[in-house]
Amino acid sequence: MTTFTRQNAWNQGGTLSNPDLLWYAKGVGKMMQRELNDPASWWFFAAIHGEYVNPDTAWYPNPPAFPAWGYVSGQPAVPTSPLPSQTTQDKFWNQCQHGTWYFLPWHRGYLLALEAQLRADIVSLGGPDTWALPYWNYFGGAQGADAAIPPAFTTEKLPDGTPNPLFVTMRFGPQDDGNIYIPTPAWVEGHGQAPKPQYGDVTDICMHNDLYTGSDPATPAPGFGGPESGFAHNGSPHGNMESNPHDLVHVYVGGNLSSPDYGIMADPGTAALDPVFYLHHCNIDRMWASWNDAGNANPTESAWLDGPAQQFVMPMPDSEPWVYTPGEVQSLSTLNYAYQDAAMPQKPAANLLAQRLVKLGAIGAANEFVPLTHKASPAQPAELLGANTGPLQISKAGFTSVNVGLHQAVQKNVVKSLGFASVTQLPDQLYLKLENVRGTQDAAVLRVYIDLPPQPDQATQRKQFVGSVGLFGLRRASIKDGAHGGSGLTFILDISRFVDTLFVKDKLSANQIKVDVESAGSAPQASPIEVGRVSIYRQPI
C-alpha cells in the first residue's frame, strides 16, 4: 500500500515550481468548477467547516452583507446556489470543532477527506497518484523566512497563463496591507518592527505541554488539545495549540480591509474558501503528530476515543460517506501518511518552572537551567482570585484598562503559596480569563498586559506583555441563536510569572491587579469588542 508523504510547501522556494503546489492549484481549480450542492466541490467542502450561504440560518448576516458568501469580493468567485437539501446540510455542513478536545481529530479527518478528493481530481488531470497536501510551516526557514506565505498563493496566474485558484483577493495580513506573513519571534527578529510594534506573538510554545487536557507545571490550562466537551462546545476556552498558533494564524492571514470587511481566513464561516487554510491546518496536524511522537499521550477516555453523540462525517470520492471517531484518526501509522519533517522544536535551555522558583527565591540561579522533574497529572481545581465588576468595551484607541479586584482570603492563599514555594511545594499557577468576549470583527487580535504604567514606552510594553488572543469565530459565537448561544469566546492566559513579579515587588498585597487590553488591528470597527468579565484564578499544583 502506498504511503503518502506531506511535503513542506516551501520546497522549491514555495513557488508554483513546487509540483505539490502546482498540482494543488490544478486540483483546487477542478473542484471549483463544480456546483455548490456537489459534495465533490470546493464550495461544499468549505461549507463543511462553516458557511454563510444559507439565509435561513441564525448566523447569516441580517441585513445581508459580508461575511455572507455572496459578498466575498474578487477571486475566487464564490457561488451561493444551488443549495443542497436541508437533510444534506444538516448531515455535512457546519461541523467544525473549536473550543473542544475534538478540535485536532476532527480537522485531521477533514484534511484526509479533502486530500482524497483532490488526489482523485489530480490523477484525472494526469497528475501523480502519490500526491499529498503540503504543509506551511511558518516556524521554519532561516531567520523565520518561511513565516511568509508561499509565493504560489500570491501569484495571479498559473504557468500556462490561466487564473491561479490559490490566489485570493481577500487576504490582508497582519499589517492590513496585503503583505501576508505570520509574526513569529524569528520573523520579527529578522525583519524589524516597522511600521507597527509586533511581539512575535505566534509561537510553538504549546509543543512543550505534556497534557492533552488539563494542566500541570508544564501545561497551562486548558491543555494542549483543549477542554473536555461535547459536539456543541458553547464557547469553551480554546486549547493551547488552538489558541496559539492556530487562531492567531487565521486572524493574521485574514487581516482587515475596512469595517466590516476582513480577510476570509479570519472567520470559520469563510476560512475554508481560502486554499491556504488547508496548508495551515496541515501544519497544525503535523505539530500534533510531532507532539505524539515525542511521547505525549492523547486522551484515553471513551468520550474522546468514540467521539460525541453527533457523528463526524465526510464525503469521499466515488464512495459512501466516511464516518469516523477521534480514536480512529489519532495515529498516523494507521492512516497511511507521513510528514517530510515532524521534528519537535528545541526546548528552551531554562525550565519555566525553574525560572519561577529562582525568581521566588526557592532555588539558586544556577539551577535555572536544570530540568525539574514533575508528575504529568492534572492540577487541583482552580479557585477564583478576583474579577472586574462589569463588561469591558474595547475599541481601536490605545489601551483599555481594568482593575481586577482580589478576594482577600484567596489572595492570602496565593501569597502563602508563592512565599513558601520550593521544589517539593510548587507555587500556584495563575490564570487570567477573558470571559464571554463578543463582537462582530473576527479579524482582531487582543494583546494583554499586566501592571502596565501610564504612557508606557515600547520596552515597557514588551516587558509587561502577557500574550495575544485571536478572535477567530467571534461573530458566530456572539449570535444568540447560533451554536454558541451568544456566549461569545473565552480565553485563558498563564500569568504566573507576572504575579510572581508582583509578589517579589511587594505589589501583590494590594487589593487589585491592573490589566490592560489593546486591540492590535488598525482598521476601524463597526462596534466595540466586549469582554464580559476579566477574571484571575489560582490553581494549586
Side-chain angles (χ1 to χ4, degrees):
M1 184 179 288
T2 304
T3 297
F4 303 104
T5 301
R6 293 177 175 172
Q7 305 278 348
N8 192 327
W10 269 97
N11 292 345
Q12 287 79 48
T15 67
L16 291 168
S17 297
N18 179 340
D20 294 323
L21 293 177
L22 180 60
W23 282 114
Y24 182 45
K26 291 180 178 181
V28 170
K30 184 163 184 178
M31 289 184 68
M32 284 182 173
Q33 293 172 10
R34 300 186 179 109
E35 292 191 321
L36 172 62
N37 64 348
D38 185 338
S41 75
W42 185 256
W43 324 110
F44 192 99
F45 263 90
I48 291 174
H49 190 268
E51 52 80 22
Y52 292 113
V53 66
N54 184 347
D56 294 330
T57 56
W59 49 87
Y60 190 86
N62 184 22
F66 184 83
W69 283 16
Y71 297 84
V72 175
S73 61
Q75 189 174 327
V78 180
T80 58
S81 64
L83 291 175
S85 69
Q86 191 60 52
T87 300
T88 298
Q89 292 181 53
D90 293 343
K91 181 175 183 177
F92 289 105
W93 284 11
N94 297 295
Q95 285 191 56
C96 69
Q97 298 293 294
H98 294 285
T100 164
W101 63 349
Y102 300 128
F103 164 71
L104 290 167
W106 182 87
H107 283 84
R108 175 169 284 177
Y110 184 45
L111 291 179
L112 286 167
L114 177 86
E115 188 175 51
Q117 181 59 58
L118 282 166
R119 186 181 298 119
D121 285 328
I122 286 168
V123 170
S124 74
L125 294 170
D129 62 4
T130 56
W131 180 88
L133 272 170
Y135 60 88
W136 175 22
N137 179 17
Y138 22 79
F139 296 112
Q143 295 186 307
D146 292 358
I149 191 171
F153 291 84
T154 60
T155 303
E156 294 193 42
K157 301 289 184 181
L158 295 179
D160 63 5
T162 58
N164 178 11
L166 306 185
F167 177 80
V168 167
T169 303
M170 295 190 76
R171 283 190 206 116
F172 306 113
Q175 305 282 358
D176 307 323
D177 59 0
N179 181 21
I180 314 300
Y181 64 92
I182 307 304
T184 64
W187 172 273
V188 170
E189 182 179 354
H191 293 79
Q193 290 294 301
K196 294 189 302 186
Q198 295 175 345
Y199 298 83
D201 51 359
V202 181
T203 73
D204 56 7
I205 291 174
C206 67
M207 296 296 284
H208 304 317
N209 295 177
D210 57 13
L211 287 180
Y212 190 100
T213 295
S215 65
D216 67 9
T219 309
F224 176 82
E228 185 173 353
S229 66
F231 190 99
H233 34 84
N234 298 318
S236 300
H238 288 194
N240 299 333
M241 163 69 87
E242 184 178 3
S243 183
N244 188 359
H246 170 267
D247 291 352
L248 288 170
V249 169
H250 268 284
V251 172
Y252 279 136
V253 170
N256 284 282
L257 175 61
S258 62
S259 183
D261 289 350
Y262 47 81
I264 58 176
M265 262 286 279
D267 189 313
T270 57
L273 293 168
D274 189 335
V276 83
F277 168 98
Y278 297 97
L279 274 69
H280 166 37
H281 270 278
C282 208
N283 193 50
I284 295 296
D285 186 80
R286 183 187 68 87
M287 293 172 72
W288 179 27
S290 176
W291 188 79
N292 283 153
D293 288 346
N296 298 298
N298 297 324
T300 56
E301 295 91 336
S302 60
W304 187 85
L305 293 170
D306 298 336
Q310 183 173 339
Q311 293 179 318
F312 300 157
V313 56
M314 297 291 163
M316 297 296 283
D318 303 320
S319 66
E320 292 296 313
W322 174 40
V323 177
Y324 65 97
T325 66
E328 291 169 337
V329 299
Q330 67 172 323
S331 173
L332 297 193
S333 63
T334 63
L335 295 172
N336 206 35
Y337 76 94
Y339 285 99
Q340 174 187 338
D341 178 13
M344 279 281 285
Q346 185 175 358
K347 286 191 175 184
N351 180 284
L352 295 179
L353 175 59
Q355 289 179 328
R356 290 193 66 199
L357 292 174
V358 169
K359 179 180 285 188
L360 295 171
I363 60 175
N367 294 322
E368 180 178 339
F369 298 94
V370 177
L372 298 179
T373 59
H374 64 275
K375 184 179 179 182
S377 57
Q380 299 176 42
E383 182 179 18
L384 180 66
L385 172 59
N388 71 319
T389 57
L392 185 68
Q393 302 290 323
I394 300 171
S395 68
K396 292 291 181 182
F399 298 93
T400 302
S401 300
V402 61
N403 290 318
V404 176
L406 306 181
H407 299 312
Q408 188 173 8
V410 183
Q411 181 183 13
K412 288 180 178 178
N413 289 335
V414 173
V415 170
K416 181 179 178 181
S417 169
L418 301 185
F420 287 93
S422 69
V423 174
T424 58
Q425 190 171 331
L426 300 180
D428 288 349
Q429 288 178 293
L430 286 303
Y431 297 106
L432 183 143
K433 276 191 178 183
L434 301 179
E435 301 180 48
N436 306 119
V437 183
R438 299 181 179 92
T440 60
Q441 194 80 4
D442 287 52
V445 171
L446 300 182
R447 293 174 178 155
V448 181
Y449 307 81
I450 295 291
D451 197 33
L452 200 63
Q455 299 180 328
D457 57 25
Q458 191 174 116
T460 303
Q461 290 180 38
R462 286 177 173 277
K463 185 177 179 182
Q464 306 304 112
F465 173 62
V466 173
S468 296
V469 296
L471 304 188
F472 181 66
L474 181 70
R475 184 185 181 280
R476 293 166 74 91
S478 303
I479 297 168
K480 290 184 179 180
D481 296 330
H484 294 263
S487 61
L489 300 174
T490 293
F491 302 94
I492 299 177
L493 292 168
D494 186 351
I495 60 169
S496 300
R497 64 189 180 95
F498 297 93
V499 177
D500 292 346
T501 299
L502 293 176
F503 172 78
V504 170
K505 293 183 176 181
D506 199 27
K507 288 185 175 182
L508 194 54
S509 57
N511 60 4
Q512 62 189 22
I513 292 176
K514 181 172 176 285
V515 177
D516 283 275
V517 183
E518 176 192 21
S519 183
S522 60
Q525 292 177 187
S527 60
I529 297 165
E530 180 182 279
V531 179
R533 189 171 82 156
V534 180
S535 56
I536 297 176
Y537 288 79
R538 70 178 284 256
Q539 190 164 47
I541 300 299

